[in-house]
Amino acid sequence: QVQLVESGGGLVQAGDSLKLSCAASGPTFSSYIMGWFRQAPGKEREFVALMHWSGSNSYYADSVKGRFTISRDNAKNTVYLQMNSLKPEDTAIYYCAVDRYYSGIYYSPAQYKYWGQGTQVTVSS
């Protein structure tokens, strides 16, 4: 059974930084893909960033490229999302997600089976 627990959200001002954490428990994640998504009020859940648990490649949405960084700590089974230069439009509930990786790039929420409960990020102007 896979369990994901996000933390690190909060209320910040535009230009500030936050670091989200996603602690994962369950199977060995070496063949998994890890993603961060977000959902703003009245909008669909959208892709933010992803990386393979056992690889070094990472992918980002254009809206966060250069400001957000996804990383992981294998020893802690934890994935991070460092968010810098935050903007009011980054306000959303942020979710981490995982699933077994087979091929391709997993940009769609539908490609992930396991989800955390979400953490609220609010950026004031």
Side-chain angles (χ1 to χ4, degrees):
Q1 182 73 15
V2 176
Q3 287 191 317
L4 304 173
V5 179
E6 300 104 333
S7 61
L11 171 63
V12 297
Q13 293 187 328
D16 286 350
S17 297
L18 274 178
K19 187 173 185 178
L20 306 183
S21 300
C22 174
S25 60
T28 301
F29 290 100
S30 59
S31 60
Y32 279 63
I33 191 165
M34 323 289 290
W36 283 99
F37 290 79
R38 67 187 182 186
Q39 188 165 17
K43 295 188 176 181
E44 296 200 350
R45 193 166 297 189
E46 66 174 7
F47 165 74
V48 175
L50 69 87
M51 72 184 309
H52 299 91
W53 188 262
S54 58
S56 60
N57 289 346
S58 55
Y59 302 86
Y60 299 92
D62 288 343
S63 58
V64 307
K65 205 170 292 183
R67 299 187 298 121
F68 290 12
T69 303
I70 187 171
S71 63
R72 69 179 187 274
D73 184 329
N74 290 358
K76 296 182 178 180
N77 263 12
T78 299
V79 178
Y80 303 98
L81 185 68
Q82 176 67 48
M83 306 185 295
N84 298 329
S85 303
L86 282 161
K87 304 175 181 180
E89 51 264 41
D90 295 318
T91 295
I93 299 174
Y94 283 71
Y95 299 89
C96 65
V98 305
D99 207 337
R100 286 188 177 273
Y101 176 70
Y102 295 100
S103 66
I105 308 298
Y106 288 21
Y107 290 127
S108 170
Q111 294 174 290
Y112 293 80
K113 182 176 182 179
Y114 304 101
W115 292 83
Q117 82 286 355
T119 185
Q120 177 71 47
V121 172
T122 303
V123 185
S124 64
S125 57

